[in-house]
Amino acid sequence: HISLSDVTTLTELRAKDYSSRILYPRHRSLLPKMMNADMDAVDAENQVELEEKTRLINQVLELQHTLEDLSARVDAVKEENLKLKSENQVLGQYIENIMSASSVFQTTDTKSKRK
């Protein structure tokens, strides 16, 4: 004679046994040898793929850093260029002022001197 509590206990034990199989699956060595070889090939393929992805990620990161460096250099060159243009304008104006103040660079009226 089986009681209701015995059935409940048996059901709980089966559920625990099933859940333990999910949490702790059988070791791969219990699988057939051919399946092991297939899984090893998949693992090796995944490893190669992972290494390739890692290499590509590192290459992208390196290119990003290079781009950042180049961008910073372009900004610095633009700033230096603006500074030099401004200095050239000041020097150009200074030279014009000196030339206009000097008698050497004044235009002469040759007709008025002849008269």
Side-chain angles (χ1 to χ4, degrees), residues 4-23:
L4 184 59
S5 65
D6 290 338
V7 171
T8 305
T9 305
L10 184 60
T11 305
E12 288 173 358
L13 286 173
R14 284 184 180 160
K16 284 181 184 177
D17 182 45
Y18 177 74
S19 66
S20 69
R21 275 189 247 155
I22 292 172
L23 294 174

Side-chain angles (χ1 to χ4, degrees), residues 28-41 43:
R28 197 169 77 175
S29 65
L30 299 177
L31 297 173
K33 286 182 182 180
M34 187 171 170
M35 202 161 188
N36 272 342
D38 289 342
M39 289 188 75
D40 288 342
D43 286 346

